[in-house]
Amino acid sequence: MKKSALQIARAEYKPKMPKALHGYIKVEEGAATQSVADQEEVKKLFPHTYGMPTIKFVETSEKTSYPAINVGVILSGGQAPGGHNVIAGIFDGIKNMNGNSRLYGFLMGPGGLVDHDYKELTADIIDEYRNTGGFDIIGSGRTKLETKEQFDKGLEILKKLEIKALVIIGGDDSNTNACVLAEYYKAINAGVQVIGCPKTIDGDLKNEMIETSFGFDTACKVYAEVIGNIQRDCNSARKYWHFIKLMGRSASHIALECALQVQPNMCIISEEVEAKKLSLDDIITDIANVVARRAADGNNFGTVLIPEGLIEFIPAMKVLISELNDFLAHHQDEFNAVPKDDQLEYITKNLSAENAKVFASLPAGVARQLTLDRDPHGNVQVSLIETEKLLAEMVGNKLAEMKAAGKYNGKFASQVHFFGYEGRCAAPSNYDADYCYTLGFTAAGLIGTGKTGYMSSVRNTTAPADQWIAGGVPVTMMLNMERRHGEMKPVIQKALVKLDGAPFKFLEANREAWAVGTEFVYPGPIQYFGPKEVCDQPTVTLQLEQAK
Amino acid sequence: MKKSALQIARAEYKPKMPKALHGYIKVEEGAATQSVADQEEVKKLFPHTYGMPTIKFVETSEKTSYPAINVGVILSGGQAPGGHNVIAGIFDGIKNMNGNSRLYGFLMGPGGLVDHDYKELTADIIDEYRNTGGFDIIGSGRTKLETKEQFDKGLEILKKLEIKALVIIGGDDSNTNACVLAEYYKAINAGVQVIGCPKTIDGDLKNEMIETSFGFDTACKVYAEVIGNIQRDCNSARKYWHFIKLMGRSASHIALECALQVQPNMCIISEEVEAKKLSLDDIITDIANVVARRAADGNNFGTVLIPEGLIEFIPAMKVLISELNDFLAHHQDEFNAVPKDDQLEYITKNLSAENAKVFASLPAGVARQLTLDRDPHGNVQVSLIETEKLLAEMVGNKLAEMKAAGKYNGKFASQVHFFGYEGRCAAPSNYDADYCYTLGFTAAGLIGTGKTGYMSSVRNTTAPADQWIAGGVPVTMMLNMERRHGEMKPVIQKALVKLDGAPFKFLEANREAWAVGTEFVYPGPIQYFGPKEVCDQPTVTLQLEQAK
């Protein structure tokens, strides 16, 4: 593996850790906990892991000796910057407790546990991956650990390798499943602890004990870098509107954080669209109005940030898609028999009046995609819709109407972009490098102190790293009951953008000025070696959330 | 203007310059020059500026005093990182010669000269823009300075502002026009010198005296950063083929440089496609074969880099497009009368057999675009074709055929990307910050020593900056006669990728290994503050070209 100059230099970086983890550690227990909602149901489902106290590690001069332990680790779901540092932290943590401890990685995600695909992660392997992006050290995958069969199959290999603790690094679903697994192994006295780590660039796994999920910081900084560059281009050429879509199916944290970093002319937040019950036409009209106002000042250029999941948050679109799914499921053959050129008209005729109106307002390409590209269950594939193109095209049409009505007199040309894969495997920022390593080291501490069903928790991260607070939170504390595929399931509540939270409030207070003025900020690329104020800042979201 | 932390820190950077420019300068003249070709014709067109010697600045202890001078500057064409530093270099250079000198910027490109739109660039304005990306200090534009009327109109404002020298920062066309302007102003004794500066991220303005155009270094590093991140993702998820299109309509330098930095599985070079007379099917087959070979090793993932101009370099596509343009120009009404669903068939029937075959092989969407989306002159708009999607789709089809024939047994899923605007306005790398500032400072030296019709030239840039060689090259030396819009015109030869040059040879020697193995390199983001080997490296292209 040929390494870049930066990779070689960056390998030397020593992640910063809280003071409490520098020497011998002691557990300080908080009060017993409750799940965030549905306490009775959750308690019933997790009799062995419910109600445990939160945990905080504190410094002690008391030396503890730990037996050697074999630990397994799994990377679950989409990549996020810093995963390798979590694993390095676990490795150093368990070696620190006992030099004879061993770490095994299960390959290509949770499937590796079930299929018994693994490799031992030795010091020379770990050293190759310190402070690097990607999940390639053991790979990741999307298999869900949900069934007793999987748990039992996994246990076989855990027993064979004498693994006494398993760390699952993943998002909300994976941590929920980690909790179910912890409960099961405890219930059957399997002798295997299970610890979770909060990962996702989407930033939607957070609560009072989990300040942020790892990778969100780095990914947003990469997106903000390229958006900033586009904005500088936009402001130099002064002739394009750039429609920029960003990852985030369920929550708009990424779009919001990027907006706070780059100050675009507009940023759409799905949660606001849903709360205000905006229609697609409302959104288009809002954008077109900003375009027109800027054009009146001679500024025929600008930027709009769009969260990936937008379409599914527009109530009218949700209703339309639901009717489309339903109608097509029952009229597939009839639909197929209609000549291609008449299909859209056929659909329009058969929808309810309200949905027909929405459907007719869509550009032909999108309307066609909604009827033709369906998944194996026959459902419309919303994720295939190129929302950035859809909005650019519809804004163009709206502006043409406004021009005809004498309400707009500018030039409109657009460029579209989508950023996702560019950020998920970037080398972690100092923040994520430190945070991830500490999460891993903390997970080792939870293992050493015999915990199971906990998520590694590191807080106070807007302060310098030596003041960070490391510990564990019972996963059951974050659970509530939600309907999934028709069944009530215990799940970790997804953290959506709060419309009364400080980050959104900041956007709200400034967006009028950003829309009309050109107040672009150009963050530039992540720096690993420069001055503290350049290299060591957490996200704006976190700074605003934590500000007193 | 709110500045990012990086921008504030970066403002302090002092660009490095060659030793010869640190103190008083003296001109050392080389031999008289000849144009690269068509000497007689070029000489006839440029009687006053042909044959001038190359110039090199050398150190001297002799103090020269310079009169105060008013200078104008124009940014022409697409943005490139470092333009602001060229302007800062000009400003510091002319102030260094005489503190009463003044700099005027013409706004939004060459049009600003013709329309008399300008602003004086004072020290406080210049200081705001040092080491930043973008052209927003005065804006840029694509107006071509070509006619006597424009030249005379420009002269009015130059006289009014008492401007004695004009610096035009642009690509090959803009520098050709600068040369025509220099010749004209000299011929009419206008008393205005004209100096050019080599700008373009495409890297196609280079020759023995111009090592590289500015911005190429930074832009390629930004693209290599995001491609590297995608490759790390690709290698972690192991389930996608990423088709990545990069800027470069006329030449594939950007794709080649990125390939040298990131070692993708494949990189297509337009110049090779043309030289080997490859068909679209040849290219598709090549890619599909690599996909199949990797699949046989269990690797259903990879990366392919694609230069933006590819389609126009495929001889068979060129011929097809030419026949399409011709046919549609003469049968527009007939074509419009054909029902939409029959249009493709109608076209196919009317093309020559060879072109009909190529046309029929295209995905329907692309074929439709070729017949419907035409520019105001009725020509097919090749630039609208999403080549990355076209290739991904056609490779998928080819693999399906191969699978049916038992020659392929893998899984193929693709993701597409296009990077352009992300790199053009990034904050210049140390290399570009130094190179651009030196180009500007050198332009001031050429002005101070009375030159016109020269391009600022800075060479030996793979050595430490104090050993760089600064001077000037007569633009006429780079000219040859080429047919443009039916007329023979003097133009600067575009530097395409040389198939016998060291950079391409390096790709050629390694691509087999890169295709089958997974030898991705992850360059990471541009660093401005770290160790020398991370921050101060020129492009791989330049290093290979300059290596003895």
Side-chain angles (χ1 to χ4, degrees):
Chain A
M1 182 159 76
K2 183 179 158 188
K3 288 184 187 162
S4 66
L6 174 58
Q7 225 180 315
I8 293 166
R10 184 67 177 162
E12 303 302 314
Y13 181 74
K14 301 276 171 249
K16 302 186 278 293
M17 278 211 297
K19 233 162 107 189
L21 298 181
H22 286 166
Y24 300 113
I25 56 168
K26 203 177 76 175
V27 164
E28 198 175 277
E29 292 197 351
T33 58
Q34 294 269 327
S35 62
V36 282
D38 313 309
Q39 288 83 5
E40 282 314 306
E41 293 95 319
V42 176
K43 189 173 178 180
K44 206 179 292 167
L45 289 166
F46 296 89
H48 301 86
T49 53
Y50 188 85
M52 301 183 297
T54 57
I55 276 173
K56 187 171 138 180
F57 290 124
V58 293
E59 283 177 285
T60 177
S61 54
E62 218 175 298
K63 187 178 159 146
T64 323
S65 69
Y66 298 91
I69 187 171
N70 290 357
V71 172
V73 64
I74 295 174
L75 289 166
S76 179
Q79 277 67 257
H84 291 159
N85 269 29
V86 177
I87 294 177
I90 298 169
F91 182 85
D92 291 351
I94 62 172
K95 288 283 183 186
N96 189 46
M97 291 188 290
N98 188 313
N100 292 320
S101 295
R102 291 173 163 222
L103 183 63
Y104 292 91
F106 290 98
L107 304 182
M108 300 313 291
L113 176 71
V114 180
D115 300 337
H116 300 189
D117 282 339
Y118 66 90
K119 75 171 167 196
E120 188 179 349
L121 297 171
T122 51
D124 52 334
I125 298 176
I126 295 287
D127 287 346
E128 284 290 293
Y129 289 88
R130 289 181 192 271
N131 309 312
T132 60
F135 277 8
D136 42 307
I137 188 171
I138 50 175
S140 180
R142 294 192 183 272
T143 302
K144 288 190 191 306
L145 287 183
E146 287 176 320
T147 67
K148 185 174 169 306
E149 292 65 38
Q150 290 173 315
F151 299 170
D152 291 337
K153 198 83 180 50
L155 191 55
E156 285 173 19
I157 188 68
L158 295 173
K159 293 224 174 218
K160 189 174 157 209
L161 298 172
E162 295 177 31
I163 289 174
K164 303 284 182 209
L166 190 60
V167 182
I168 297 179
I169 301 169
D172 49 349
D173 276 350
S174 305
N175 276 285
T176 299
N177 293 339
C179 186
V180 175
L181 188 64
E183 173 67 29
Y184 179 75
Y185 283 167
K186 195 148 180 195
I188 64 167
N189 259 317
V192 178
Q193 304 159 243
V194 183
I195 301 294
C197 272
K199 171 231 71 171
T200 166
I201 64 159
D202 290 345
D204 54 10
L205 171 49
K206 65 178 172 183
N207 51 54
E208 57 171 316
M209 297 299 288
I210 305 293
E211 288 185 351
T212 188
S213 52
F214 79 76
F216 176 66
D217 182 84
T218 306
C220 287
K221 283 173 179 163
V222 174
Y223 302 140
E225 172 202 353
V226 291
I227 300 168
N229 289 353
I230 289 171
Q231 290 195 152
R232 192 122 211 180
D233 202 305
C234 178
N235 193 23
S236 299
R238 305 173 74 87
K239 63 179 178 184
Y240 288 121
W241 273 85
H242 293 266
F243 288 74
I244 304 168
K245 188 172 71 177
L246 295 162
M247 277 204 168
R249 287 286 302 278
S250 318
S252 303
H253 296 291
I254 293 178
L256 176 56
E257 171 63 23
C258 289
L260 298 175
Q261 287 192 34
V262 306
Q263 303 190 174
N265 298 109
M266 290 193 82
C267 174
I268 301 170
I269 300 295
S270 299
E271 289 85 342
E272 184 184 23
V273 167
E274 186 171 47
K276 295 190 173 166
K277 300 195 169 47
L278 299 183
S279 68
L280 188 52
D281 188 60
D282 291 334
I283 297 168
I284 300 300
T285 305
D286 279 354
I287 301 175
N289 283 338
V290 169
V291 173
R293 286 170 68 195
R294 289 180 62 80
D297 296 336
N299 297 322
N300 290 300
F301 64 93
T303 51
V304 185
L305 306 192
I306 305 156
E308 192 184 11
L310 177 63
I311 292 296
E312 291 170 277
F313 277 82
I314 300 173
M317 287 296 292
K318 250 198 237 177
V319 178
L320 166 65
I321 288 164
S322 160
E323 189 178 349
L324 270 177
N325 281 337
D326 200 46
F327 175 77
L328 286 166
H330 293 98
H331 300 81
Q332 189 60 62
D333 293 339
E334 205 179 314
F335 172 77
N336 290 342
V338 175
K340 220 172 145 204
D341 272 5
D342 305 330
Q343 285 176 344
L344 294 187
E345 203 194 319
Y346 164 79
I347 294 278
T348 313
K349 266 196 321 220
N350 281 285
L351 291 174
S352 62
E354 197 51 44
N355 282 335
K357 212 174 110 191
V358 176
F359 189 73
S361 78
L362 298 174
V366 174
R368 183 161 295 283
Q369 191 176 40
L370 279 178
T371 55
L372 291 182
D373 293 331
R374 266 162 296 143
D375 70 14
H377 309 288
N379 288 323
V380 161
Q381 290 192 275
V382 185
S383 67
L384 289 185
I385 297 176
E386 295 176 284
T387 319
E388 67 282 22
K389 281 194 188 169
L390 170 74
L391 294 190
E393 186 174 339
M394 292 184 78
V395 167
N397 296 342
K398 176 69 70 176
L399 288 167
E401 285 171 25
M402 287 166 67
K403 188 169 263 179
K407 289 181 188 157
Y408 165 67
N409 193 20
K411 284 180 192 167
F412 177 76
S414 63
Q415 295 286 344
V416 297
H417 312 267
F418 171 40
F419 298 117
Y421 293 98
E422 294 77 3
R424 309 194 319 167
C425 285
S429 62
N430 285 359
Y431 177 88
D432 267 329
D434 298 348
Y435 182 57
C436 289
Y437 185 79
T438 303
L439 281 173
F441 208 93
T442 302
L446 293 168
I447 291 167
T449 52
K451 306 300 169 194
T452 191
Y454 275 80
M455 197 186 296
S456 181
S457 154
V458 177
R459 292 179 298 137
N460 199 33
T461 62
T462 50
D466 61 352
Q467 297 164 36
W468 291 2
I469 299 160
V473 198
V475 179
T476 51
M477 187 185 172
M478 307 172 201
L479 297 178
N480 69 170
M481 303 300 291
E482 292 180 19
R483 183 170 299 277
R484 296 281 168 97
H485 304 292
E487 263 183 276
M488 290 306 284
K489 290 255 185 189
V491 296
I492 296 178
Q493 257 184 344
K494 234 187 227 308
L496 302 185
V497 170
K498 289 183 183 154
L499 301 186
D500 57 356
F504 180 79
K505 285 281 175 200
F506 191 89
L507 174 75
E508 204 176 28
N510 288 281
R511 60 184 168 188
E512 167 65 19
W514 297 352
V516 186
T518 301
E519 306 205 1
F520 298 157
V521 176
Y522 316 117
I526 293 175
Q527 297 296 298
Y528 299 101
F529 305 102
K532 227 174 145 62
E533 67 277 13
V534 176
C535 299
D536 287 353
Q537 297 305 313
T539 57
V540 182
T541 298
L542 194 57
Q543 292 185 51
L544 289 169
E545 283 172 346
Q546 299 295 317
K548 300 279 141 40
Chain B
M1 183 158 78
K2 183 179 159 188
K3 288 183 186 163
S4 66
L6 175 57
Q7 227 180 313
I8 294 166
R10 183 65 178 164
E12 303 301 314
Y13 181 74
K14 300 277 172 248
K16 302 186 278 291
M17 278 213 295
K19 232 163 108 190
L21 299 182
H22 285 167
Y24 300 112
I25 55 166
K26 202 177 75 174
V27 165
E28 200 174 276
E29 291 196 352
T33 58
Q34 296 268 327
S35 63
V36 282
D38 312 311
Q39 288 84 6
E40 281 315 306
E41 291 96 318
V42 175
K43 189 174 178 179
K44 204 179 294 167
L45 289 167
F46 296 88
H48 301 86
T49 52
Y50 187 85
M52 301 183 297
T54 57
I55 275 174
K56 186 172 139 181
F57 289 124
V58 292
E59 282 176 288
T60 178
S61 54
E62 218 174 298
K63 187 178 158 142
T64 321
S65 69
Y66 297 91
I69 187 171
N70 289 358
V71 172
V73 62
I74 295 172
L75 290 166
S76 180
Q79 278 67 255
H84 291 159
N85 268 27
V86 177
I87 294 176
I90 299 170
F91 181 85
D92 291 351
I94 62 172
K95 288 283 184 186
N96 189 44
M97 293 189 289
N98 186 310
N100 291 320
S101 296
R102 288 171 166 226
L103 183 62
Y104 292 91
F106 290 97
L107 303 183
M108 300 313 291
L113 178 68
V114 180
D115 302 336
H116 300 188
D117 281 340
Y118 66 90
K119 76 170 168 195
E120 188 180 347
L121 297 171
T122 51
D124 53 334
I125 297 177
I126 295 288
D127 287 347
E128 283 290 294
Y129 288 89
R130 289 180 191 272
N131 309 312
T132 59
F135 277 8
D136 42 307
I137 188 171
I138 50 175
S140 182
R142 294 190 183 273
T143 302
K144 288 190 192 305
L145 286 182
E146 287 176 320
T147 67
K148 186 174 168 305
E149 289 67 38
Q150 290 174 316
F151 298 171
D152 291 337
K153 198 84 184 45
L155 192 54
E156 285 173 20
I157 187 70
L158 295 173
K159 291 226 175 214
K160 189 175 157 208
L161 298 173
E162 296 177 29
I163 289 175
K164 303 285 183 209
L166 189 62
V167 182
I168 297 178
I169 301 169
D172 49 349
D173 278 350
S174 304
N175 276 284
T176 298
N177 294 340
C179 186
V180 175
L181 187 64
E183 174 67 27
Y184 178 75
Y185 283 166
K186 195 148 182 196
I188 64 168
N189 260 317
V192 179
Q193 304 160 240
V194 183
I195 301 295
C197 271
K199 172 230 71 174
T200 164
I201 64 160
D202 291 346
D204 54 8
L205 170 49
K206 65 178 171 183
N207 51 54
E208 56 172 316
M209 296 299 289
I210 304 294
E211 288 185 353
T212 188
S213 53
F214 79 75
F216 176 66
D217 181 84
T218 307
C220 287
K221 283 172 179 164
V222 174
Y223 302 140
E225 172 201 353
V226 290
I227 300 167
N229 288 355
I230 289 171
Q231 290 194 151
R232 192 122 211 180
D233 202 306
C234 178
N235 193 24
S236 298
R238 306 174 74 88
K239 62 178 178 183
Y240 289 121
W241 273 86
H242 293 265
F243 288 74
I244 304 167
K245 188 171 72 175
L246 295 162
M247 277 205 167
R249 287 286 302 277
S250 317
S252 303
H253 296 292
I254 292 178
L256 177 54
E257 171 64 23
C258 289
L260 298 175
Q261 287 191 34
V262 306
Q263 304 189 172
N265 298 108
M266 290 193 82
C267 175
I268 301 171
I269 300 295
S270 298
E271 289 86 342
E272 184 183 24
V273 167
E274 184 172 48
K276 295 190 173 164
K277 299 194 171 50
L278 299 183
S279 67
L280 187 53
D281 188 61
D282 291 335
I283 296 167
I284 300 300
T285 305
D286 280 354
I287 301 174
N289 283 337
V290 169
V291 173
R293 286 169 68 196
R294 289 180 62 79
D297 296 337
N299 297 323
N300 290 299
F301 64 93
T303 52
V304 184
L305 306 192
I306 305 155
E308 192 184 9
L310 177 62
I311 293 296
E312 292 172 276
F313 277 83
I314 300 173
M317 287 295 292
K318 252 198 235 176
V319 177
L320 165 65
I321 288 165
S322 159
E323 189 179 349
L324 270 178
N325 281 337
D326 200 46
F327 175 76
L328 286 166
H330 294 96
H331 301 79
Q332 188 61 62
D333 293 341
E334 204 179 314
F335 173 77
N336 289 343
V338 175
K340 219 170 144 205
D341 271 6
D342 304 331
Q343 285 177 341
L344 294 186
E345 203 193 321
Y346 164 80
I347 294 278
T348 312
K349 265 197 322 222
N350 281 285
L351 290 173
S352 63
E354 197 51 43
N355 282 336
K357 210 174 112 191
V358 176
F359 190 73
S361 78
L362 299 174
V366 174
R368 183 161 295 282
Q369 190 175 41
L370 280 178
T371 56
L372 291 182
D373 293 330
R374 269 164 293 146
D375 70 14
H377 310 287
N379 289 322
V380 160
Q381 291 192 275
V382 185
S383 68
L384 288 185
I385 297 175
E386 294 176 285
T387 319
E388 66 282 22
K389 280 194 189 169
L390 170 76
L391 294 190
E393 185 175 340
M394 291 183 79
V395 167
N397 296 342
K398 176 71 69 177
L399 288 167
E401 287 171 23
M402 288 166 67
K403 188 169 264 181
K407 289 178 187 158
Y408 165 68
N409 194 20
K411 283 179 194 168
F412 178 76
S414 64
Q415 294 286 344
V416 297
H417 313 268
F418 171 40
F419 298 117
Y421 294 97
E422 294 77 2
R424 309 195 319 168
C425 287
S429 63
N430 284 359
Y431 177 88
D432 267 329
D434 298 348
Y435 182 58
C436 289
Y437 185 80
T438 303
L439 281 173
F441 208 93
T442 300
L446 292 167
I447 290 168
T449 53
K451 307 300 171 195
T452 190
Y454 275 79
M455 197 186 295
S456 181
S457 155
V458 177
R459 290 179 299 137
N460 199 34
T461 62
T462 51
D466 60 352
Q467 298 164 36
W468 291 4
I469 299 161
V473 199
V475 180
T476 52
M477 187 183 173
M478 306 173 199
L479 297 179
N480 69 171
M481 303 299 292
E482 291 180 19
R483 184 169 299 277
R484 296 283 167 96
H485 303 293
E487 265 183 278
M488 290 307 284
K489 290 256 186 188
V491 295
I492 295 177
Q493 259 185 344
K494 233 184 228 310
L496 302 185
V497 170
K498 290 184 183 154
L499 301 185
D500 58 355
F504 181 79
K505 285 281 176 202
F506 191 90
L507 174 75
E508 203 176 29
N510 288 282
R511 59 185 168 188
E512 168 65 18
W514 297 352
V516 186
T518 302
E519 307 205 2
F520 298 156
V521 177
Y522 314 116
I526 293 175
Q527 296 296 300
Y528 300 101
F529 306 100
K532 228 175 143 64
E533 67 277 13
V534 176
C535 299
D536 287 354
Q537 297 304 314
T539 57
V540 182
T541 298
L542 194 59
Q543 292 185 54
L544 289 169
E545 283 172 345
Q546 299 293 319
K548 299 277 144 35

